[in-house]
Amino acid sequence: MSGPVSPLAPKSFVDMPPVRGVRMATAAAGIKYKGRTDVLMMVFDAPATVAGVFTRSKCPSAPVDFCRDNLGGGKARAVVVNSGNANAFTGKKGRESTAMTAVAAAKAAGCSEGEVFLASTGVIGEPLDATKFSGVLDGLATSANEDFWLEAAKAIMTTDTYPKVATRTARIGDVEVRINGMAKGAGMIAPDMATMLSFVVTDADIPATTLQALLSEGVEPTFNAVTVDSDTSTSDTLLLFATGAAAADGQKPVSSPSDPALAAFRTALNNLLKDLALQVVRDGEGARKMVAITVEGAENDGAAKKIALSVANSPLVKTAVAGEDANWGRVVMAVGKSGEMADRDRLAIWFGDVRVAVDGERDPGYSEEAASAVMKEEDIAIRVEIGLGSGKATVWTCDLTKAYVEINGDYRS
Amino acid sequence: MSGPVSPLAPKSFVDMPPVRGVRMATAAAGIKYKGRTDVLMMVFDAPATVAGVFTRSKCPSAPVDFCRDNLGGGKARAVVVNSGNANAFTGKKGRESTAMTAVAAAKAAGCSEGEVFLASTGVIGEPLDATKFSGVLDGLATSANEDFWLEAAKAIMTTDTYPKVATRTARIGDVEVRINGMAKGAGMIAPDMATMLSFVVTDADIPATTLQALLSEGVEPTFNAVTVDSDTSTSDTLLLFATGAAAADGQKPVSSPSDPALAAFRTALNNLLKDLALQVVRDGEGARKMVAITVEGAENDGAAKKIALSVANSPLVKTAVAGEDANWGRVVMAVGKSGEMADRDRLAIWFGDVRVAVDGERDPGYSEEAASAVMKEEDIAIRVEIGLGSGKATVWTCDLTKAYVEINGDYRS
């Protein structure tokens, strides 16, 4: 919605086949944007099991509170998402707004309000006028259809420059199941939560508690390993639904998250979550380059991730990437400030395949030309070897450009 | 050195009178810059007592290691500072470079190498060729003079657009003593250390242990409460020297940091440290606006400071300030992501004197016009009331502008 499409966008969108048991429709309710859809309704033919992870912000939005309350029930029949207004920090009005939307959605879908899930994204602090879209939910529930994933992903965009979708299949026993997902970014993206909004649906038959375990585990190296600007949103919501339609094909019930029958599903799910998370980074506000930061040899995996995030969130590293400057000294700085154990004289750093530093100083064979060539690429890998242990982590970020400053200098107007 | 002078620069420089017992001289050694001074030597007529605080980076520069080693001796006769190269992450060559400089400085000043203090600022990772300036130290020691503070401050600049100096007087008993200081910024500025380079000299007669206690205490609400970009440098060094010349005027010895005779000195010192620290922020790379963030009502002072830093380091808050956008929702976001205790529904936020949010939602009397008027000012105060306890802190930062991205996109070339 904000100017030209990110140069890092996928060259074409994947075909998104339906997932049995879920239908979708969108509407243009004029919440903030003109001439585009801004409300999405998902309807499940039968109650789906549901799992969710949410922002760890101490100031979560009203819909996040609402979803947390309903998650205990473990059943979903309808999801309503709006863009243009986050319904965050809206106090009593915000709760009234979620309540009104839930009543309208429950009536439209023929379910209880406890089976409704809500998400809102956009400006923080403006009261959300739910009357703008509560009236259209009846129509959306009626017109919803299975073959609508890409359109659905468009309705939840804010500063995103392209819709984010992904699809996978996996076998549970002899039965093939499908997993579809959509996500939106593109600012206020930082880990330690389920970044921004993402909705994933499978036709597998999986109980809510198992679904939750799979999701909580899958989110750590994917959505929780990406950062655009280190700013954790008030609204981050990732919901995973299982419609259970595959039971009709003979999919046998699964007993627990460790059920061996779930191995392929787990892999496919994690793969899809990573796909969506990286699409979010590739559409980071103002992004021109994608950076993968791998830290190895840290004290433990947690330390490795903290160091990697320190590099990924450093404005000086990110502006150097934007300027195609092989300024590895700033990587040293970011390792040093992370607070994790590091021994300067054991550090080694690579840009792409070019080792730029080793044993605490510039690589004896350092070539500015070779390092600079890496920085001109669209996708840049930075690797840091700490030399202390076996802890390892990868996080993904984008560069910090003038366009980021411009996009965020006057977002509200 | 990087384009036009910051619009937040002081309109004129204070007169810097000499401090008895210390002399200075500078030279243009061509370390990186052309046509400007880049080496500063300070010489003490008699051994001065010394206190220091340094970066908490795990990857400190070679001069930081060197100073830490010498600090135990508590005596200083010479200080050598260079700009243009940080001598950080330079391995064995870096240690050889500090050793060579120390030998040359000790010879020039007629003291031991244990009485020499060194600091370097500039690019990280490039070997520093100390032969470029070790030869000039003899001449500098000879030509050094007392009345040279502003010139000295110019020699230590990197991306600073103006030299930073401050002076104060205080009485210890019946004797007036002077405190002079200089500092340099302007990027890689974040607290939890003594930001970047700063050198403060007093003619008071104060033992090293007492001096250290005063400095460690004074740095917390001053240098450790400013942030330009959240990036902690590898080189941060703040040194405080006491020449003791005031003893000749009859200044009585002080017994400990809690000696009541030091009350006025402590106040003057803290005041000077704050003055220098704020000058660093006002020359933050690309800065167009200065922001003071005060958090009150947090669980405790430490929590208040962490919340204030979360606001101060948020790219979204800083770009909104750059865009003169009264986007207080991003302040809510930053409070929420800090990890400290907060109750959304008790939060209140002010921009200047305008209360924009209260009781967890937009202020009923919110005026976009009034809030926007505050954002057009050069100095902006953001105040957050958490409503939980009595913890309080203020931190200072600047806005994040396209100029920051530009300055840092290709710093090395």
Side-chain angles (χ1 to χ4, degrees), chain B residues 340-413:
Chain B
E340 293 297 332
M341 279 281 285
D343 178 344
R344 179 187 58 200
D345 296 338
R346 292 188 194 196
L347 278 190
I349 299 169
W350 286 257
F351 283 179
D353 293 330
V354 180
R355 191 176 68 183
V356 291
V358 64
D359 295 337
E361 59 186 308
R362 194 165 71 184
D363 194 287
Y366 178 78
S367 154
E368 181 75 29
E369 196 183 354
S372 292
V374 172
M375 302 309 287
K376 294 197 191 310
E377 300 287 323
E378 209 165 67
D379 282 77
I380 296 170
I382 298 179
R383 185 155 68 88
V384 181
E385 170 62 47
I386 305 295
L388 290 179
S390 58
K392 185 175 170 175
T394 297
V395 306
W396 293 270
T397 189
C398 54
D399 54 348
L400 171 57
T401 65
K402 289 185 197 174
Y404 178 89
V405 177
E406 186 160 306
I407 291 165
N408 287 299
D410 201 4
Y411 172 60
R412 297 185 314 153
S413 61

Side-chain angles (χ1 to χ4, degrees), chain A residues 39-59:
Chain A
V39 179
L40 161 67
M41 187 169 190
M42 304 173 73
V43 187
F44 298 97
D45 299 335
T49 58
V50 55
V53 285
F54 302 95
T55 182
R56 289 187 201 156
S57 171
K58 305 284 182 187
C59 300

Side-chain angles (χ1 to χ4, degrees), chain A residues 99-406:
Chain A
M100 173 192 282
T101 310
V103 167
K107 182 174 153 288
C111 66
S112 81
E113 291 147 44
E115 295 169 307
V116 173
F117 289 80
L118 303 175
S120 298
T121 176
V123 177
I124 297 173
E126 304 263 341
L128 170 62
D129 180 4
T131 62
K132 278 197 175 171
F133 57 89
S134 56
V136 305
L137 299 184
D138 267 339
L140 291 180
T142 308
S143 65
N145 76 80
E146 283 197 319
D147 191 11
F148 209 67
W149 279 87
L150 191 63
E151 286 306 311
K154 287 179 186 168
I156 65 171
M157 289 163 61
T158 53
T159 54
D160 304 71
T161 72
Y162 60 86
K164 294 154 189 75
V165 290
T167 183
R168 296 290 186 281
T169 57
R171 283 193 173 271
I172 299 180
D174 296 331
V175 178
E176 184 173 89
V177 301
R178 178 162 295 283
I179 317 174
N180 274 13
M182 68 179 97
K184 58 84 55 185
M188 257 191 218
I189 306 288
D192 259 356
M193 36 103 235
T195 291
M196 299 303 288
L197 305 189
S198 182
F199 307 97
V200 181
V201 184
T202 178
D203 54 3
D205 183 21
I206 300 176
T209 51
T210 297
L211 209 59
Q212 183 67 49
L214 291 170
L215 184 64
S216 297
E217 174 193 303
V219 81
E220 210 38 59
T222 58
F223 276 104
N224 280 357
V226 301
T227 177
V228 166
D229 54 14
S230 78
D231 275 345
T232 303
S233 161
T234 53
S235 308
D236 302 322
T237 298
L238 166 57
L239 293 168
L240 167 60
F241 304 93
T243 68
D249 297 344
Q251 186 217 305
K252 297 202 177 61
V254 292
S255 56
S256 77
S258 56
D259 190 324
L262 280 173
F265 181 87
R266 174 187 271 110
T267 302
L269 174 66
N270 292 352
N271 199 286
L272 175 133
L273 293 175
K274 182 175 169 186
D275 186 339
L276 289 173
L278 296 197
Q279 286 191 55
V280 168
V281 176
R282 297 185 81 83
D283 201 15
E285 288 169 341
R288 297 293 174 265
K289 289 175 190 289
M290 165 96 175
V291 190
I293 295 148
T294 300
V295 172
E296 296 177 329
E299 264 201 306
N300 51 56
D301 288 352
K305 190 163 180 184
K306 197 166 161 206
I307 294 170
L309 282 171
S310 179
V311 177
N313 283 326
S314 159
L316 288 172
V317 171
K318 292 160 80 84
T319 49
V321 173
E324 302 189 337
D325 180 17
N327 196 325
W328 57 269
R330 294 182 181 172
V331 177
V332 175
M333 175 280 300
V335 172
K337 79 164 180 168
S338 73
E340 293 297 331
M341 279 281 284
D343 178 345
R344 179 187 58 202
D345 296 339
R346 294 187 192 197
L347 277 191
I349 299 169
W350 287 256
F351 283 179
D353 293 331
V354 180
R355 192 176 68 182
V356 292
V358 64
D359 296 337
E361 59 185 306
R362 195 165 71 183
D363 193 285
Y366 179 78
S367 153
E368 180 75 28
E369 197 182 353
S372 292
V374 172
M375 302 309 287
K376 292 197 191 311
E377 300 287 324
E378 210 165 66
D379 282 76
I380 296 170
I382 298 178
R383 184 155 68 88
V384 181
E385 170 61 49
I386 305 294
L388 291 179
S390 59
K392 184 174 171 179
T394 298
V395 306
W396 293 270
T397 190
C398 54
D399 54 347
L400 171 57
T401 65
K402 289 184 198 175
Y404 179 89
V405 177
E406 187 161 305

